[in-house]
C-alpha cells in the first residue's frame, strides 16, 4: 500500500485531500506540530473510513529534515499548509533529498516561479516534484489546454474563482490574499506588461447556475503562466471574488486604502475572518469557477469558449484538492516524468474532472461565435470576407480608410448630432474605427473627419437582431444579408431599459458591402422624427 504524507491534513483543503486519498485506498500519514491534534484527526479519519491505514507523524516544516520524512515510510509528500507567498521550498528540498515525490497546493506567484530551480536535483533523485496542484495553476491551465486545442490564435484568456459565502476560510488563505491586496501586481494587458493594484477592478462575470458575481484582480501564478503558455495577443487575467457582494466591495475598499496609505493588512487576517463570518449569513453558498478564452479556432472562426464549474453548498473546498489527488494517482502509475516544475501540461482536464464524480460538482463548456454570426446564423458565412472580418475579428482591431460625410439637415438636428458626436459635412476625410470585441459585446470607437463618436453593440438574438447603444439611447437593429450585402434596419429603440414608441425613435438606412478593390464599404444614414437627417457617412475601410 502506497503511503502519502499529508502536511496540513487538518486544514480546509488538506482534509479534503486526505479523504480523497483514503477513498482511493492509499495509506495516510497525517503530520502536524501537535501530536494531540494529529491523533484526533487520525481518529476521525479512521472512524469515517473503516479499515483505513492512518498514521501520525509530528513534524515542524521550519526544522524539517530528509531523515524525518524518510522515517514516516511515505512515498509521496503532499504539502497542504500555507501560505506559500514569500516562502522558501524547504519541504520540497527535504523531500527530494529523501528521494520522495512531492506535491503542493501553492498559489504564491513568487513560490511557483522559483520552483523549477529544484529541477536538476529532482531529476538526479528520480523523483517528481510539482507545485501548484490546485485550482490555480493546475486546473485553470488544464481547462485552457482543453478549450484552445487546435486554435490558430489566442487573443485573451481569463480565469475567475468565487467561493460560496459559507465556505470555510482558513487563516493561511486570508493571509495569502492580504499579502498582495492593494499592492502592485504585474499583469499582461492591452498587449503589454503593466502594473495594477491587487484586488482592483470591479468586474461582473457570469458563473452560470451560480449567477453573476463581482470579481477583482487576484495575484496567482497564472498571471505569469497564461502569457507564457498561451501567448495571448491582448491580455491574461486571473480574478477572484467574495460572497456576498458587500464583502467583496469591502475588500476592494481595503485594497484602495492599502494602496493610498501603504498599509500592511496581513496582521488584520483574524479580524477580517471574523468579519467574513458575519457576512456568511447572506449571499449564495454555491462555489464557482470560470475559465474563458477568446480567439480564432482551427476553422478560422472567431470564438469565445467558456468553462464553468459550480459547487453545491459545502462542496466548494474540495475543488482545490482534486488536481493534487489526480496527480498523486498519476505519479504512482508512472505517468509523470521526474523533475521539478509547476503542475501544468502534466494532466489532461479529464483526469481532474473524473475526481469530481463523488462530489456535487457540475461543469459545462459553452463555445460560441461573435455577435454577428450568432445573430445572423449560417447566412453570416456567405457574406464577403471583408465584411465578415470586420465583424468577427476578436479582441482589438483597427480599421482605416476614407469617407465623405453629410451633416445634419437643420439647426435642431445639428444640435442633437453635436451632442452625440456625429461629424459635420466633409467631401473627403480620414476614417478610422477601433473595435474591441470580447464575444459578448463590441465597442466601436469611430473617428471620421476629426469627429469622434462611439457605440456599443450587444444583445445578439437569433433572427438577425443586435442592439446598438449610443450612451443611454439604444436601437434594436435587424441585420439582413442580401446579395453579398449586409442591410441594417431599426426595429425598436429604448432609453436605458425602457422601450419607447417606434414612431418617435430614430431610423437608419445602412448597408455594408465590398467594392471592386476588395475593400469593406459602408453607407450609413441616421434620421430622427421631425428633425430628418442627423448624419450620413459613407466610405471604405481596411484593417490597419
Amino acid at each position: 500500500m502506497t503511503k502519502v504524507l499529508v502536511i496540513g491534513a487538518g486544514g480546509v483543503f488538506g482534509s479534503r485531500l486526505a479523504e480523497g486519498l483514503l477513498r482511493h485506498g492509499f495509506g495516510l500519514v497525517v503530520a502536524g506540530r501537535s501530536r494531540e491534534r494529529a491523533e484526533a484527526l487520525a481518529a476521525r479519519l479512521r472512524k469515517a473510513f473503516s479499515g483505513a491505514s492512518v498514521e501520525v507523524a509530528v513534524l515542524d516544516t521550519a526544522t524539517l529534515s530528509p531523515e524525518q520524512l524518510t522515517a514516516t515510510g511515505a512515498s509521496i509528500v503532499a504539502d497542504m499548509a500555507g501560505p506559500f507567498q514569500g516562502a522558501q521550498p524547504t519541504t520540497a528540498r527535504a523531500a527530494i533529498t529523501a528521494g520522495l515525490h512531492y506535491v503542493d497546493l501553492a498559489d504564491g506567484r513568487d513560490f511557483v516561479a522559483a520552483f523549477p530551480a529544484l529541477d536538476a536535483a529532482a531529476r538526479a533523485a528520480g523523483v517528481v516534484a510539482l507545485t501548484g496542484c490546485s485550482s490555480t495553476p493546475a486546473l485553470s491551465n488544464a481547462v485552457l489546454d482543453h478549450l484552445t486545442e487546435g486554435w490558430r490564435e489566442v487573443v485573451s484568456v481569463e480565469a475567475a474563482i468565487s467561493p460560496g459565502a459559507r465556505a470555510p476560510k482558513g487563516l493561511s488563505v486570508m493571509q495569502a490574499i492580504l499579502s498582495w491586496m492593494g499592492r502592485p501586481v504585474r499583469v499582461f494587458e492591452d498587449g503589454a506588461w503593466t502594473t495594477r493594484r491587487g484586488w482592483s477592478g470591479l468586474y461582473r462575470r457570469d458563473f452560470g447556475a451560480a449567477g453573476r458575481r463581482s470579481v477583482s484582480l487576484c495575484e496567482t501564478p497564472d498571471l505569469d503562466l497564461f502569457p507564457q503558455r498561451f501567448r495571448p495577443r491582448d491580455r491574461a487575467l486571473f480574478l477572484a471574488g467574495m460572497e456576498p457582494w458587500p464583502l467583496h466591495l469591502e475588500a476592494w475598499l481595503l485594497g484602495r486604502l492599502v494602496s493610498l496609505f501603504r498599509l500592511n493588512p496581513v496582521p488584520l487576517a483574524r479580524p477580517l475572518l471574523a468579519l467574513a463570518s458575519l457576512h456568511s449569513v447572506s449571499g449564495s453558498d454555491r462555489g464557482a469557477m470560470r475559465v474563458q478564452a477568446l480567439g480564432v479556432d482551427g476553422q478560422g472562426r472567431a470564438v469565445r469558449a467558456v468553462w464553468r464549474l459550480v459547487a453545491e453548498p459545502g462542496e466548494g473546498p474540495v475543488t482545490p484538492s482534486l488536481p493534487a489527488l489526480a496527480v498523486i494517482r498519476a505519479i504512482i502509475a508512472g505517468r509523470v516524468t521526474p523533475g521539478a516544475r509547476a503542475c501544468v501540461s502534466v494532466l489532461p482536464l479529464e483526469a481532474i474532472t473524473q475526481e469530481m464524480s463523488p462530489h456535487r460538482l457540475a461543469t459545462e463548456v459553452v463555445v460560441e461565435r461573435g455577435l454577428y454570426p450568432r445573430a445572423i446564423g449560417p447566412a453570416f458565412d456567405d457574406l464577403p470576407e471583408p465584411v465578415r472580418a470586420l465583424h468577427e475579428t476578436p479582441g482589438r482591431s483597427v480599421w482605416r480608410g476614407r469617407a465623405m460625410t453629410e451633416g445634419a439637415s437643420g439647426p435642431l438636428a445639428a444640435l442633437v448630432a453635436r451632442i452625440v458626436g456625429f461629424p459635420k459635412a466633409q467631401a473627403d476625410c480620414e476614417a478610422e474605427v477601433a473595435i474591441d470585441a470580447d464575444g459578448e459585446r463590441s465597442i466601436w470607437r469611430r473617428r471620421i473627419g476629426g469627429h469622434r463618436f462611439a457605440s456599443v453593440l450587444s444583445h445578439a438574438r437569433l433572427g438577425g437582431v443586435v442592439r446598438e447603444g449610443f450612451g443611454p439611447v439604444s436601437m434594436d437593429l435587424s441585420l439582413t444579408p442580401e446579395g453579398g450585402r449586409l442591410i441594417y434596419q431599426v426595429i425598436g429603440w429604448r432609453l436605458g431599459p425602457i422601450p419607447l414608441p417606434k414612431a418617435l425613435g430614430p431610423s437608419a438606412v445602412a448597408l455594408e458591402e465590398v467594392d471592386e478593390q476588395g475593400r469593406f464599404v459602408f453607407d450609413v444614414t441616421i434620421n430622427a422624427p421631425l428633425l430628418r437627417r442627423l448624419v450620413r457617412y459613407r466610405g471604405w475601410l481596411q484593417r490597419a
Side-chain angles (χ1 to χ4, degrees):
M1 178 186 294
T2 301
K3 287 185 185 179
V4 180
L5 170 66
V6 179
I7 300 173
V12 173
F13 305 132
S15 61
R16 271 67 175 185
L17 176 64
E19 292 167 2
L21 290 169
L22 293 175
R23 193 177 292 113
H24 282 296
F26 285 89
L28 194 64
V29 182
V30 296
R33 287 176 292 182
S34 166
R35 176 173 292 277
E36 183 179 353
R37 292 178 60 186
E39 290 284 7
L41 172 62
R44 289 199 302 272
L45 291 172
R46 294 187 194 106
K47 183 177 181 181
F49 295 87
S50 179
S53 171
V54 184
E55 301 174 16
V56 170
V58 180
L59 298 174
D60 186 343
T61 55
T63 58
L64 191 64
S65 69
E67 292 75 21
Q68 288 176 304
L69 295 178
T70 302
T72 66
S75 302
I76 299 179
V77 178
D79 189 355
M80 304 291 108
F84 291 91
Q85 284 77 1
Q88 292 295 315
T90 53
T91 304
R93 287 197 191 100
I96 291 170
T97 302
L100 306 179
H101 301 299
Y102 169 90
V103 300
D104 67 38
L105 293 189
D107 60 356
R109 187 175 181 179
D110 53 346
F111 186 95
V112 172
F115 198 82
L118 304 177
D119 185 59
R123 289 177 182 272
V127 299
V128 176
L130 296 174
T131 187
C133 308
S134 186
S135 302
T136 169
L139 179 54
S140 53
N141 277 264
V143 171
L144 283 173
D145 285 335
H146 176 76
L147 294 181
T148 63
E149 185 177 5
W151 282 21
R152 297 181 185 180
E153 180 187 23
V154 176
V155 173
S156 66
V157 293
E158 176 186 291
I161 292 178
S162 177
R166 285 170 285 285
K169 298 173 179 66
L171 179 62
S172 63
V173 173
M174 182 62 75
Q175 290 171 335
I177 294 171
L178 293 175
S179 70
W180 47 260
M181 182 178 286
R183 296 177 179 175
V185 173
R186 190 167 176 260
V187 182
F188 185 77
E189 198 165 24
D190 294 329
W193 286 99
T194 188
T195 300
R196 285 181 48 192
R197 175 174 50 83
W199 212 266
S200 62
L202 285 173
Y203 305 95
R204 294 287 290 176
R205 291 294 183 264
D206 180 6
F207 287 89
R212 295 185 69 85
R213 298 186 177 185
S214 296
V215 288
S216 296
L217 177 65
C218 173
E219 182 165 60
T220 78
D222 282 331
L223 293 182
D224 291 324
L225 293 169
F226 284 171
Q228 290 171 13
R229 300 191 64 245
F230 300 99
R231 303 292 180 187
R233 168 160 53 88
D234 284 0
R235 69 176 189 173
L237 290 180
F238 196 101
L239 309 171
M242 295 182 180
E243 275 287 294
W245 69 265
L247 178 63
H248 183 89
L249 180 60
E250 288 164 11
W252 179 84
L253 290 171
L254 177 60
R256 293 281 293 174
L257 292 174
V258 169
S259 178
L260 288 172
F261 299 104
R262 301 183 183 277
L263 306 174
N264 177 16
V266 175
L268 300 175
R270 291 188 186 277
L272 290 174
L273 280 174
L275 179 63
S277 179
L278 291 175
H279 276 291
S280 67
V281 297
S282 62
S284 171
D285 199 27
R286 282 175 158 178
M289 182 173 178
R290 181 181 189 275
V291 181
Q292 172 180 298
L294 179 70
V296 180
D297 69 9
Q299 288 72 50
R301 302 174 304 184
V303 293
R304 183 180 67 146
V306 181
W307 177 91
R308 299 187 186 97
L309 177 149
V310 176
E312 293 303 318
E315 293 283 10
V318 77
T319 306
S321 71
L322 298 181
L325 179 58
V327 81
I328 287 171
R329 296 182 66 197
I331 290 171
I332 295 303
R335 298 196 301 270
V336 184
T337 57
R341 56 200 182 276
C343 189
V344 296
S345 296
V346 175
L347 296 173
L349 178 60
E350 294 75 14
I352 300 174
T353 56
Q354 74 179 14
E355 301 295 346
M356 298 179 184
S357 58
H359 308 283
R360 292 175 297 152
L361 303 174
T363 64
E364 65 171 346
V365 175
V366 177
V367 180
E368 57 187 12
R369 299 179 66 181
L371 286 171
Y372 276 55
R374 291 208 310 276
I376 296 171
F380 177 84
D381 293 326
D382 296 329
L383 288 167
E385 192 277 334
V387 176
R388 287 187 282 112
L390 185 132
H391 290 297
E392 199 177 22
T393 299
R396 172 164 293 183
S397 58
V398 178
W399 308 78
R400 296 193 179 104
R402 308 294 298 181
M404 68 83 63
T405 64
E406 298 176 29
S409 57
L412 190 54
L415 176 61
V416 174
R418 189 177 301 116
I419 292 171
V420 177
F422 290 152
K424 298 179 180 179
Q426 298 183 68
D428 180 61
C429 59
E430 291 183 347
E432 178 182 284
V433 181
I435 302 175
D436 286 288
D438 64 7
E440 193 168 0
R441 66 176 192 164
S442 295
I443 303 173
W444 288 45
R445 297 179 177 90
R446 303 169 181 86
R447 183 173 60 82
I448 299 177
H451 293 264
R452 299 176 185 271
F453 59 104
S455 65
V456 179
L457 289 152
S458 61
H459 294 78
R461 302 201 306 270
L462 195 60
V465 178
V466 298
R467 184 174 300 167
E468 183 169 20
F470 294 87
V473 177
S474 62
M475 299 181 291
D476 289 330
L477 305 175
S478 173
L479 313 175
T480 306
E482 187 177 289
R485 295 178 167 186
L486 184 58
I487 299 171
Y488 292 64
Q489 288 181 307
V490 177
I491 58 174
W493 73 299
R494 62 191 69 225
L495 180 63
I498 304 171
L500 298 174
K502 182 179 177 182
L504 301 178
S507 63
V509 178
L511 64 87
E512 298 170 350
E513 58 184 339
V514 176
D515 66 10
E516 294 178 352
Q517 287 76 44
R519 302 176 302 195
F520 174 88
V521 174
F522 59 91
D523 189 343
V524 180
T525 303
I526 300 177
N527 301 307
L530 303 178
L531 303 180
R532 295 180 297 167
R533 187 181 67 236
L534 296 178
V535 69
R536 181 187 182 190
Y537 51 95
R538 52 194 172 98
W540 59 268
L541 295 168
Q542 290 180 317
R543 187 169 182 181

